[in-house]
Each structure stands twice: as C-alpha cells, then as structure tokens.
Amino acid sequence: MSSWFVYAGILIYMEIVFHLGCFGLEGVNPIFSLGLISLIAAVQALISGSLNRRARHRAFWVMTILEYMIFFVQTVYFRIFQQPLQIRAIVMGGQDALTNYWREALVGLLHSTPLLLLLALPLVGVGFWKYLTTWELPHLNSIRKLRMGLIAGVALIYSVSVMQIGNLLDTLYAEEYREFFDPISVMREMGVIAMVQRDGAYELGEAVSSLFDSRERAPGPEDPDTQLAQGGGPESSEIPDISQPGEEQTPGTEVQDSTSQPEEPVLDTSPNVWNLDMVKLAELSQGKKETEWLARYLGEVQPTNRNEYTGMFEGYNLIFLTAEGFSTYAVREDLTPTLYKMVNSGFVFNNYYVPLWSTSTSDGEYINMTGLIPDGQFSMRTSANIGMDWAFSLPRFFAKEGVYSWAYHNNTLSYYDRYRTHPNLGYDLKASKLGDLSEAEYGDKLFYMEHAGAWPASDYEMMLGTVPEYVNLDRFNVYYMTVSGHMNYSFSGNRMSSWHKEEVQGLEMSENAQAYIACHIELDKAMANLLEQLEAAGQLENTVICLSADHYPYGMTQEQYEELAGRNLSQDMETYRNSLILWNAAMEEPVVVDKVCGSMDLLPTLLNLFGFDYDARMYAGRDIFSDQEGMVVFLDRSFVTDTVAYSRKAKTTTFKVEMTQEEQDAYMEMAKQDVKDRYNFSAYILRNNYYSVIRQCLDEEKTAGDLERPAEAVLPWPTPEPTPAPPSAAGDAASGQ
C-alpha cells in the first residue's frame, strides 16, 4: 500500500498547489477527482510493483516526472492564456504557438517559476528521502497485486458511478464534464488530472468516430446530392412550419384604424424568415440525432422581426474590424480621441459583452464573423478543414449585390490557417507576412508595410497599405483583424507600446497599464487614418464602421486589469463588458442602446441594418435592434440577459426586475434551456456542415458565389510609400513575429 500512498499523495499535492496558485481559494468539488486519482495511483503501483528493483525505480521517476510535466505545461499555459491547454491546441496550434508566442511563453514561464518550484517539491522530497534512507518502492506479490487491482476496480466503479449519478440528478459538475465539456470549469472544480483525462477521452472518441462512423457525415458542398443515412426520424407534423408566418400582431404594436389616415408609413415588423421547406429538411436530416435535432429546432425557434432600423444602411459600404485585445478602458479622450469619438457617437452600447473563448483570438473572430458560438477549440480552422459551406456569411450577402469582399491582417497569412479560413467565408485575404507559405504561390496575398517585422505590427501602417485598394470603388465590404493591441503589455516586450511610451508617461498607473493604453494609441492612429482616407475619397458618409474586440486583454492579471479600469471587476461578468463601435459619420445624434448584447449578435445585426433579406433562424445571435430580449452567453454557460445575471462560477443569480419566486424559477428554466439550445445549434451546424443541407431546402438560392476581383482594385507592387519610422523602430525586421 505504501507505493499507492506515494503516487496518490504526489498527485493530490500537485492538484492542491496548482489550484491555489491559479484559482486561489475558490471552492472545489473533489468527489470525482479523488476516485480518478485513486485509480491512477493503483495502476501506477501495479506497474512499478511488477518490475524488478532497478526497473521499478525507473518507472517511478518516469511516471512522476510525466505527471509533473503535465502540471508544468498547464501552469505556464494557464498563466498566459487563462485557459487550460487541450490536446487539440497542441495538435492543431502547436507550431503556431511556438513560432508566434515564444515571447509570451518566456514571460509566462518566468512568472510561473515560484509555482513550478512548489509543484516539484514532492519529487525533490522523495529523491532526498530515498538518498538519506533505505526506503524503496515495494515489489508486489500476487496477493498485493490482487489487492491493488481491487483498489483500481473500486476506484473505476466509483468514478463512473459519480458521473452517472450526477447525470441523473442533473448536477452542474456532470453537465460540465459530460454534456457540455467546459475545460476551465472542470480544471477549476475537479482538477488538472480530471480535465486532461476528459479531454483525452473526448479526442480519442472523436478519432474513433471519424474512422468508424463516416456513414453519419453530413453532405458537403462538394457533394450536394448526398443525403444522410436513411432511417426513422421525426414525423413532419412534429416540426411546426413557420416559413410562411401569418400576420399576427407583434406585442406592443397598435392596430391602425382602417378609417384613419396614418401620417407615416406603417412599420414592417414581419419576421426575418425564408420559405424553408421544413418537410424536406426533416427528411434530409434523418439518421443522426444532431441533424434531427437541428431540423426540429429550426421549426420551433422564434425568428426576430424587422424593426425601425431595418435597412438603415442599405447600399452602404462596411468596414468591420476585430480589434486584438481591445477594451473599453483603452479609450481616453486625450490619448485615443478617434476611438473615443466613435465609441460615444453613432450607436452607443451600454451593455455590450465580449466573452473569452477557448481559442481566444480565433474563436473571437469566429463568433464575430459567423454569429455562432465556438464549438470547443479551433472552430474556424475546423470549418476550413471540413469545407464548411458558409452560405449565410456577410461576403455572400454582399456578393449577391455585386460587392467584392476583402480581408486584411497585419501578421502572417498562415497563422491560424487564415489563408484557408477567411477565403472559405468569402473574403479575399491579404496579410503583411507569409509565415511558412510559399511566396511563389501566395506572394500576391501580401500588402506592403514598412515595419512588417515589428511585434506586434502597426495597425496604422496596415491602413496605409490596404485602404487604397478599395476606397475608390463604388461599394466595398472589408474586414480587418488588427494586432497592435496584442500582449505582452510592457515597453520592452511590445513594439507598439514602445513607440508611444512618451505619450503615456504622465499617467499615474503601472507600466503594464501604461503600455496597454500606449499600444492602443496605434489603433487610434489607424482609425483616424482610415477616416481620413475615406473622407478624401468621398466615401466617409456612406461607409459604416463596426469594431469589436476578439477578447478582453487576458494578458493582464485581474489586479492589473482592475487598475486599468479604476474599479473592481467581477471575474465572471464585468471583466467581459466592453465597447462596440457601430458608427457612421452621417448620424447626427448618438443612439443609446441599453439592451444586453454581445459579439454573437453582430452578424444578424449588420444584416438587418444593411437591409439584406436573411433568415434570423440561421444564427445563435440575435439582431440587437429586434424586440427579442437580449442575451449574452459565456464559455461556462453563465449568461446575462435584460432580466437576470447568472454566474455558474460564483453560483449567483441576480434578477434586475421584480418577480415572484415562481416567475423567477420559470424564467431561469426557460433561459437555461435557451442557452443549451444555442450551444447545441452552433455545434451541430458546424459538425454537420448543416448550412449545405439547409440550402437544399430553399425555393431559390439565397446567396451568391464568389466574385472576381475588380480590375481597378489591383494595386501595383509595392503599395504606398513608406512612412517615417517612429522613435525606437530600428531593428523591427529582426524582432521575429
């Protein structure tokens, strides 16, 4: 038994140290992890106890050092990204991380050193104890092996039973572990080993499924005539057909007296739906639970209605930006005047949230551009890998009106596979560097920047090098992924911060906070230059600017971020509150929006504003200006609505309106189901390439294909003349990224 106690004790010690170092005194639920640790320790004891003396001790060190390395890597990764490291991130993003985040990794390693040393103490202790005494791991005879096997069996049965009982009782821990695997919640509440075990089991299941269950693959765009496996499915009568809704009065509107003469045209508040053949959709969806569920859901979900802002910007241009690490607290009237003007004019959103997802920037782009919640990690890359039919993306709607769509990023073309993902959405993507791509094949996808090697690179220079490509066309749809606001936030580790160091030196705050604001001065310069070029081309008043963050600056600690904010922030809600820029120069007065809204609402909101004929049922987000209640959902399925703020992490439910207990219970049941439905909808759409199925059930093609690049938009090489280098810009080209 002594070897079992050693193995189990080491794991329990490292779990406790990790939790205290990364989550503090937050509560835990160890009932599952204790069984899992007991099982692992018993297996380890069986392995080492079955070997000879020399091999026994080698096995001990191999197994315990491997465990330490798991905690080592998870500690450093969590300190950098505030998320657990999952297998998919290692497999799909390992090279990206090594080549693009080595600076952040070094800083994270440095900051984690005390915790890493504490985690290593039991290994050091065992080594010294063995050196100073005659202690050895015991060899197990047949009786002891049987006893250890019994311990392993009991631990396995216990662990499985804990999850089964939790599932039957509908507990939060079982839901987080099984139904909606939430890595950070599992790590926080059950421990590192439980998270790694669950992640490994999931990836193994996915691999096996892809090998032996190919019959359930949904038809892709390359094979539109392929149908799902035949079999029993929902009867058509189970799916309400709302494709041709009646003229039922919308709540809150008044019926006009037929004898009166209205002074203004009657507002169109009809639902945003297409004539979708629900019977055919049900037939094509038979044979797989996920697609059958999608068919039922699309028949039941309530679409948003047209409203007073429908078509407000019909015929306008759009410039849509995902701003790296952008936060409300970077906006200051004296230092970032353009951002300040745009945040506080146009549409002003007082309750806008940007949740943090598992793949941070890539997932932030994904939800901004698709209106769907990310499914685990690397949803954008997954969509390219499966040839996702993005039939209802922004570029497809603009293409139907003959408008070409560009995308630009002032970093490498290959990072996150953007050279594949963004064209798959319908954009013509260009970047400032190729990464590991061939210049012969992708050289025409570069735009010129004088300091393309700076890390992070200049958003201002990106505008200089890209806006001339489209600004003189009749119409355009443009997407930018900025990078100037990227961590680390220091004057030595962030080139954009160092360029603007003098401008923030007078601020009474730490270097970290100063550097964060400083690098966003570069974003402000970029926006100012963008407006200048639009105005010079006569395009300013007929162009809409939309800017949202990919995530809050998680490169800061909570204490540093609260210093920047100047107030306390709750980790689970207020941390994610942000600003949304939705701005047009012709708007004379600001339109204040108090409704709760978030990044998943951007796409349907833009479709409504630009007057596109779209089906609101195709997205997890909702048009912000619709009469439906606002809702923002977070990674752990916490949520905020206009009625309540619910935190799974803090286990708090705060109602904003007076309600009886019965009304509160009914509301929470409905809201939690809505959150589950939106998660399932988003995941199943992606996993099954389901937009390609939906397209087969429309009376006519609702989206257009790709357009050829306008000849007049092709710029000569190189693009604009280089600008004078800012102070301390020397040596950018040698800085790596």
Side-chain angles (χ1 to χ4, degrees):
M1 289 292 287
S2 62
S3 57
W4 180 87
F5 280 112
V6 171
Y7 286 120
I10 289 173
L11 280 175
I12 292 172
Y13 170 85
M14 287 195 286
E15 289 281 16
I16 292 172
V17 171
F18 179 90
H19 185 87
L20 292 175
C22 294
F23 299 109
L25 297 176
E26 292 186 29
V28 296
N29 182 7
I31 59 171
F32 173 75
S33 56
L34 287 177
L36 185 60
I37 288 173
S38 298
L39 172 62
I40 293 172
V43 172
Q44 289 177 309
L46 273 172
I47 292 173
S48 62
S50 301
L51 303 174
N52 60 43
R53 181 179 179 277
R54 179 175 296 181
R56 187 158 61 245
H57 288 279
R58 287 178 179 174
F60 168 80
W61 288 113
V62 168
M63 289 186 291
T64 53
I65 290 174
L66 178 61
E67 289 170 347
Y68 174 74
M69 291 306 300
I70 291 174
F71 281 87
F72 182 102
V73 171
Q74 291 293 344
T75 298
V76 176
Y77 192 88
F78 185 84
R79 287 294 183 92
I80 299 170
F81 299 106
Q82 301 299 305
Q83 294 287 340
L85 177 61
Q86 296 176 249
I87 294 173
R88 187 167 298 185
I90 298 172
V91 174
M92 300 185 71
Q95 183 178 356
D96 289 343
L98 288 174
T99 57
N100 289 270
Y101 288 112
W102 60 268
R103 302 168 188 81
E104 289 81 359
L106 288 176
V107 173
L109 181 61
L110 180 63
H111 290 169
S112 303
T113 299
L115 186 56
L116 297 174
L117 293 175
L118 283 174
L119 287 168
L121 278 182
L123 303 187
V124 176
V126 170
F128 272 109
W129 181 254
K130 186 178 184 303
Y131 177 77
L132 296 173
T133 69
T134 59
W135 176 82
E136 292 185 5
L137 288 170
H139 176 74
L140 300 183
N141 57 31
S142 298
I143 298 298
R144 289 180 175 178
K145 287 180 182 178
L146 182 62
R147 186 185 305 164
M148 202 58 64
L150 181 62
I151 292 175
V154 170
L156 177 61
I157 294 172
Y158 168 83
S159 300
V160 173
S161 299
V162 165
M163 276 301 156
Q164 291 289 3
I165 293 171
N167 190 49
L168 290 173
L169 297 178
D170 197 25
T171 60
L172 290 180
Y173 77 82
E175 184 182 85
E176 291 166 351
Y177 181 89
R178 298 186 63 175
E179 184 179 2
F180 290 98
F181 175 43
D182 179 12
I184 191 168
S185 293
V186 172
M187 177 181 278
R188 180 174 56 238
E189 297 180 13
M190 302 184 198
V192 173
I193 296 300
M195 191 285 297
V196 172
Q197 179 271 327
R198 175 62 178 84
D199 183 42
Y202 175 81
E203 292 299 332
L204 179 62
E206 288 288 295
V208 172
S209 176
S210 65
L211 288 173
F212 299 104
D213 207 19
S214 58
R215 64 183 179 83
E216 290 189 343
R217 291 175 186 168
E222 71 286 348
D223 190 14
D225 296 327
T226 301
Q227 293 192 0
L228 299 174
Q230 298 296 318
E235 298 294 332
S236 59
S237 59
E238 294 178 356
I239 305 177
D241 188 353
I242 59 172
S243 58
Q244 295 176 327
E247 300 298 324
E248 185 176 347
Q249 181 185 351
T250 302
T253 59
E254 296 182 0
V255 179
Q256 293 284 343
D257 188 337
S258 60
T259 60
S260 64
Q261 298 296 324
E263 297 181 0
E264 298 180 359
V266 177
L267 180 65
D268 180 6
T269 59
S270 58
N272 289 297
V273 291
W274 287 336
N275 186 23
L276 183 62
D277 188 336
M278 304 303 295
V279 174
K280 183 177 181 181
L281 187 67
E283 293 173 351
L284 291 177
S285 302
Q286 290 179 1
K288 189 173 183 180
K289 289 182 179 180
E290 292 181 354
T291 51
E292 289 175 358
W293 183 93
L294 283 168
R296 288 193 296 272
Y297 180 76
L298 286 170
E300 296 166 357
V301 66
Q302 184 66 34
T304 58
N305 296 327
R306 296 174 176 85
N307 49 71
E308 60 180 309
Y309 295 103
T310 301
M312 177 178 178
F313 296 131
E314 186 172 354
Y316 282 53
N317 308 309
L318 174 63
I319 297 179
F320 183 14
L321 304 96
T322 297
E324 171 65 48
F326 176 73
S327 167
T328 298
Y329 309 119
V331 179
R332 297 173 62 100
E333 188 172 11
D334 54 343
L335 296 174
T336 55
T338 304
L339 289 171
Y340 183 87
K341 176 183 71 174
M342 300 177 80
V343 165
N344 293 286
S345 59
F347 290 99
V348 179
F349 298 89
N350 290 330
N351 291 290
Y352 182 73
Y353 294 82
V354 179
L356 175 66
W357 305 97
S358 295
T359 321
S360 58
T361 294
S362 183
D363 283 351
E365 281 194 282
Y366 182 82
I367 196 168
N368 286 355
M369 301 172 81
T370 68
L372 299 176
I373 299 169
D375 179 31
Q377 289 192 307
F378 295 100
S379 293
M380 188 74 88
R381 184 175 280 170
T382 298
S383 72
N385 290 343
I386 67 173
M388 180 73 176
D389 182 1
W390 289 116
F392 314 122
S393 66
L394 263 176
R396 308 304 180 190
F397 285 95
F398 273 100
K400 191 175 181 182
E401 297 186 354
V403 181
Y404 197 73
S405 297
W406 286 267
Y408 301 102
H409 181 40
N410 47 339
N411 195 7
T412 55
L413 189 69
S414 61
Y415 192 57
Y416 283 137
D417 281 358
R418 286 190 176 97
Y419 74 103
R420 298 171 54 233
T421 59
H422 289 45
N424 193 44
L425 282 162
Y427 289 101
D428 182 357
L429 174 68
K430 287 188 175 183
S432 60
K433 294 179 294 185
L434 288 178
D436 57 2
L437 299 178
S438 163
E439 185 172 353
E441 186 174 359
Y442 292 98
D444 63 334
K445 298 303 180 183
L446 286 171
F447 62 85
Y448 177 77
M449 282 178 54
E450 182 180 5
H451 304 100
W455 179 249
S458 167
D459 296 338
Y460 170 67
E461 290 185 2
M462 177 167 61
M463 295 303 171
L464 291 176
T466 60
V467 177
E469 184 166 15
Y470 58 80
V471 73
N472 292 308
L473 298 177
D474 291 337
R475 283 191 70 194
F476 46 81
N477 171 44
V478 181
Y479 173 79
Y480 283 99
M481 178 69 229
T482 76
V483 81
S484 287
H486 202 288
M487 63 177 188
N488 291 317
Y489 303 117
S490 66
F491 296 121
S492 59
N494 188 307
R495 191 54 58 95
M496 295 302 106
S497 296
S498 68
W499 282 7
H500 299 287
K501 180 177 180 179
E502 293 183 2
E503 297 162 69
V504 298
Q505 285 295 282
L507 299 177
E508 295 183 359
M509 55 180 64
S510 66
E511 177 185 340
N512 181 274
Q514 288 180 350
Y516 177 75
I517 294 175
C519 65
H520 280 81
I521 293 177
E522 192 70 10
L523 174 62
D524 189 77
K525 285 182 60 181
M527 299 307 295
N529 179 264
L530 172 62
L531 299 187
E532 289 170 5
Q533 293 195 63
L534 289 171
E535 186 171 25
Q539 297 275 30
L540 184 60
E541 292 198 350
N542 63 333
T543 299
V544 177
I545 310 292
C546 179
L547 181 148
S548 177
D550 53 351
H551 52 72
Y552 83 101
Y554 60 76
M556 293 179 162
T557 65
Q558 186 69 10
E559 292 74 19
Q560 290 169 339
Y561 195 44
E562 289 179 345
E563 179 203 6
L564 182 70
R567 60 191 180 90
N568 293 329
L569 302 170
S570 64
Q571 177 68 31
D572 54 332
M573 294 295 179
E574 288 302 303
T575 298
Y576 306 112
R577 188 185 289 270
N578 215 313
S579 291
L580 168 64
I581 291 175
L582 188 52
W583 184 88
N584 174 253
M587 295 178 66
E588 297 180 356
E589 297 292 333
V591 177
V592 178
V593 180
D594 291 322
K595 182 178 181 177
V596 167
C597 52
S599 45
M600 75 175 178
D601 301 320
L602 290 178
L603 179 53
T605 300
L606 291 172
L607 293 174
N608 177 68
L609 286 170
F610 279 78
F612 289 119
D613 175 23
Y614 78 103
D615 192 321
R617 298 171 293 179
M618 300 298 118
Y619 311 99
R622 305 288 186 261
D623 170 25
I624 296 172
F625 302 109
S626 73
D627 55 4
Q628 288 193 15
E629 183 180 35
M631 169 180 277
V632 176
V633 299
F634 300 90
L635 177 62
D636 66 349
R637 288 170 306 288
S638 297
F639 57 86
V640 179
T641 72
D642 296 320
T643 302
V644 72
Y646 168 66
S647 170
R648 290 172 61 95
K649 174 185 171 184
K651 297 178 175 58
T652 59
T653 304
T654 307
F655 278 87
K656 308 174 188 178
V657 297
E658 290 290 334
M659 301 177 74
T660 65
Q661 187 61 52
E662 184 178 354
E663 290 171 335
Q664 290 181 2
D665 293 342
Y667 180 89
M668 288 301 296
E669 182 179 358
M670 176 192 66
K672 288 181 179 180
Q673 186 60 51
D674 190 12
V675 170
K676 285 186 179 182
D677 288 345
R678 296 198 202 197
Y679 262 87
N680 282 332
F681 173 79
S682 299
Y684 298 167
I685 286 284
L686 176 62
R687 294 176 194 175
N688 298 281
N689 198 356
Y690 199 68
Y691 286 149
S692 64
V693 180
I694 292 172
R695 290 179 66 177
Q696 299 176 57
C697 303
L698 298 173
D699 286 345
E700 60 182 80
E701 189 64 56
K702 288 294 183 179
T703 57
D706 295 329
L707 298 174
E708 292 187 4
R709 177 197 295 270
E712 61 270 31
V714 179
L715 289 171
W717 183 268
T719 41
E721 290 296 322
T723 55
S728 72
D732 285 342
S735 64
Q737 176 68 15

